[in-house]
Amino acid sequence: MTKRVLIAMTSHDKKGDTGESTGAYLPEIAHPYAVFKQAGYTIDFASVKGGQVPLDGVDRKDPVQAAFLDDAAVVARLHASAPAEKVDPTAYDAIFFAGGHGAMWDLPDNVAFASASAKIYERGGVVAAVCHGPAALVNIRLSTGEYLVAGKQVSGFTNEEERAVKLEKVVPFLLEDKLVERGARFVPAPNWKKQVVVSERLVTGQNPASAAGVAEAIVGVLQGASPSK
């Protein structure tokens, strides 16, 4: 049967009180989408509030983004995203959280996405995230009561990278610190370098450079590759 993947995203469009816009980071949607499409997967979109997704990082010089944006049917589906509370976890083999700074504000405390992710994972599916997308992971608890990330190796936007973009005092928390606080073993790479970490059926990536690699790792796990613990 065809695998089905949910790309899950933020609905938040402002960086704290700065007045600067943000949202879901388009490269972290478009590049994974291309990988999943190449694999023959069915791809759906969901966001915290549903409907139109605020986008950040749009760059038409990137041919992968341009192809995504030029596919009117895909863009229409993106902006008709399902709200988190309508997600049926039994329908998906994997849930993938795209990043973008907006993720830091509304993904951590979204109960619907957290519940769906735990159910997908415990059914043998994959939970994945890239860059700021792992903000969605920090409050996911399994049926045992343990945090999903506890004891697992993970990646995500690092403290150093947050300081490099001068937003360490704007975001609600530092993602690296919060994941460690939840019991994860954080595995950083140098700033802006590709970093993809697979731990059981949890797949995480550090930054935009890691987005396609995270999607490729999801495909690998779903195709039965032996992930590292």
Side-chain angles (χ1 to χ4, degrees):
M1 286 182 63
T2 302
K3 301 293 186 185
R4 194 176 198 103
V5 177
L6 182 67
I7 297 180
M9 298 158 287
T10 179
S11 294
H12 190 85
D13 65 357
K14 290 287 185 291
K15 293 178 184 173
D17 299 325
T18 65
E20 294 179 21
S21 62
T22 187
Y25 206 65
L26 182 60
E28 297 168 15
I29 301 166
H31 283 259
Y33 180 90
V35 172
F36 297 141
K37 183 179 178 183
Q38 178 68 29
Y41 291 179
T42 298
I43 308 149
D44 292 333
F45 299 106
S47 60
V48 171
K49 295 180 180 177
Q52 185 157 347
V53 177
L55 295 177
D56 198 2
V58 178
D59 181 5
R60 278 192 163 274
K61 293 177 185 174
D62 174 1
V64 177
Q65 289 187 60
F68 183 94
L69 292 168
D70 289 341
D71 189 328
V74 172
V75 173
R77 290 200 301 115
L78 173 70
H79 289 313
S81 65
E85 66 265 19
K86 295 289 180 68
V87 170
D88 174 9
T90 66
Y92 296 102
D93 298 284
I95 183 169
F96 164 71
F97 291 96
H101 270 94
M104 295 292 288
W105 278 270
D106 63 354
L107 288 183
D109 296 317
N110 188 269
V111 175
F113 272 150
S115 173
S117 298
K119 288 174 181 173
I120 289 168
Y121 192 84
E122 292 190 320
R123 286 178 57 248
V126 174
V127 174
V130 70
C131 200
H132 288 94
L137 309 180
V138 300
N139 289 319
I140 296 175
R141 289 182 185 267
L142 301 175
S143 57
T144 59
E146 290 187 353
Y147 287 111
L148 169 65
V149 300
K152 296 186 180 73
Q153 292 188 336
V154 302
S155 187
F157 206 65
T158 66
N159 292 352
E160 279 195 23
E161 286 171 323
E162 204 67 82
R163 293 184 184 109
V165 297
K166 296 179 167 54
L167 289 170
E168 76 276 11
K169 294 181 181 176
V170 174
V171 291
F173 57 88
L174 290 173
L175 182 55
E176 176 181 338
D177 288 351
K178 184 68 72 173
L179 288 165
V180 170
E181 183 183 308
R182 295 296 192 246
R185 290 177 284 161
F186 196 86
V187 186
N191 288 5
W192 323 123
K193 298 295 185 183
K194 176 182 175 181
Q195 175 78 321
V196 176
V197 176
V198 180
S199 192
E200 298 178 12
R201 284 170 287 104
L202 178 66
V203 182
T204 49
Q206 180 168 317
N207 46 36
S210 312
V214 168
E216 290 161 359
I218 294 167
V219 172
V221 175
L222 290 178
Q223 288 179 344
S226 297
S228 59
K229 294 291 183 182

